[in-house]
Amino acid sequence: MGAGALALAGGAASAQTAAQPFDAWVVSFRARARAKGISDAVYDRVTRGLEPDLSVYAKDSAQPEFREELWQYLNRRISEWRLMTGQAAAKKNAALLRRLHGDFGVEPDVLLGLWGMESAFGELVDDPDHMKPVFPSLGALAWGEPRRRSYWETEFINALAVVQRGWASPDEMLGSWAGAMGHTQWMPEVWLNLGIDYDGDGTPSPYSVADALAGSSRYLLKRGNYQRGLPWGIEVRMDGVPESAADAKTWRTVEEWGRLGVKPAGGGRFALPKARARLWAPAGPEGPCFLLTQNFYAVRSYNPSMNYALAVCHLGDRVLGGAPFITPFPGGERTLTLAEVQEVQKRLTRAGFDTGGTDGRVGNMTMKAVADFQRKIGQEPNGYAGLDVLAALRKGR
């Protein structure tokens, strides 16, 4: 499809509201970029032959943080494969994590959780199934995404500024559908304003592990008000506490929550009685409940989803040897083991559903294969590789 086409195929047609063809938008947008200091040479270098990636519109409307059951969201991301990969990354980068903690005060568990969530500890940084050139994505969003067009226009200009500073070439800038790049998925604005040359090579880059973790540490401090020495939170019981109190909005000290009846889920006493926290019961009082400190919300500043922040914090804890949540989720189920995920992939492949490999990592191709299989057998096609999918595959359905 040509870059100047106004009509988009399928569901993307309703997702964009561009008033002019993409080629015409590129011509008219030059003045905006020039006004922000972007040279004509850089603008031409980036936009010559640029085609918008129209797939971004569907992805923008289907972000998993807001469409999955929380226990499914956690199970997918805190898998045995991801824990093994994270433990190897933690061991390899132990000296770097100690240095980062000394310089910024951000705990290793938080950085590992972010790294694991954003790029599976670097496994996805240059994976073509997950990361694409960012200018086709940002160009499509700046041109035709109606809800946050001014935001995408600004990020398109920020990405141009990265090229103009000589920090990366357009071809080197690979990222998610939204233009987030590298190990901890920096948007162009973050690269420009919070990027750090922590590895000493002369250029801040999200594709450097050291730079990525240092820049994200700075982000947590400056944008999230991260507090040195404060845990993100603790799992609790709220026996006798009204469910309405667990709204994740009211700040009280930990000891004040204790006087209301909130107790550590594992027993014992609270370690930081004077710390301020909010009470959250995402699955109701019968499921896991949490006291959340400012550092949980620092993580949430990275992505405005409570589910995302909880997954980051719990993943980091688990990588460093922490236990699963004490209280199970109502209606939830255990995570498939690595061997079981591999069995699902092998059985799906034999049945004609391409999973892209049988390594035990549930990536985009495995999720699509699961959804196609679920559709075939009459299940809801949510792409979740759970116990019911494994059982159906074993029965040869």
Side-chain angles (χ1 to χ4, degrees), residues 371-388:
D372 290 342
F373 173 73
Q374 290 171 319
R375 195 174 288 110
K376 178 181 177 181
I377 65 174
Q379 289 185 359
E380 178 187 356
N382 61 9
Y384 179 73
L387 294 170
D388 56 345

Side-chain angles (χ1 to χ4, degrees), residues 101 104-114 216-234 251-252 254 272 275-278 280 290-303 305-314 316-317:
H101 184 258
F104 298 98
V106 178
E107 296 294 333
D109 60 324
V110 170
L111 292 179
L112 287 165
L114 278 176
S216 294
S217 296
R218 178 184 278 184
Y219 185 103
L220 292 170
L221 290 169
K222 291 184 175 294
R223 303 282 173 87
N225 192 27
Y226 185 93
Q227 305 294 303
R228 183 186 286 264
L230 188 67
W232 65 264
I234 184 175
W251 289 102
R252 292 187 172 95
V254 170
L272 296 171
R276 297 174 70 248
R278 291 170 167 173
W280 185 41
F290 307 94
L291 283 181
L292 306 174
T293 73
Q294 175 57 36
N295 284 353
F296 178 90
Y297 292 93
V299 172
R300 187 174 180 267
S301 73
Y302 218 85
N303 179 317
S305 162
M306 296 289 282
N307 292 1
Y308 170 89
L310 184 63
V312 166
C313 294
H314 193 44
D317 286 346

Side-chain angles (χ1 to χ4, degrees), residues 293-364:
T293 73
Q294 175 57 36
N295 284 353
F296 178 90
Y297 292 93
V299 172
R300 187 174 180 267
S301 73
Y302 218 85
N303 179 317
S305 162
M306 296 289 282
N307 292 1
Y308 170 89
L310 184 63
V312 166
C313 294
H314 193 44
L315 174 59
D317 286 346
R318 294 290 308 281
V319 165
L320 294 181
F325 293 136
I326 295 169
T327 304
F329 282 91
E333 63 182 42
R334 68 171 177 83
T335 308
L336 294 187
T337 65
L338 179 65
E340 287 172 334
V341 173
Q342 290 174 316
E343 181 182 349
V344 166
Q345 292 172 324
K346 291 174 182 176
R347 289 179 180 274
L348 284 170
T349 301
R350 286 201 296 267
F353 301 96
D354 185 8
T355 63
T358 59
D359 58 2
R361 177 171 69 86
V362 180
N364 290 342

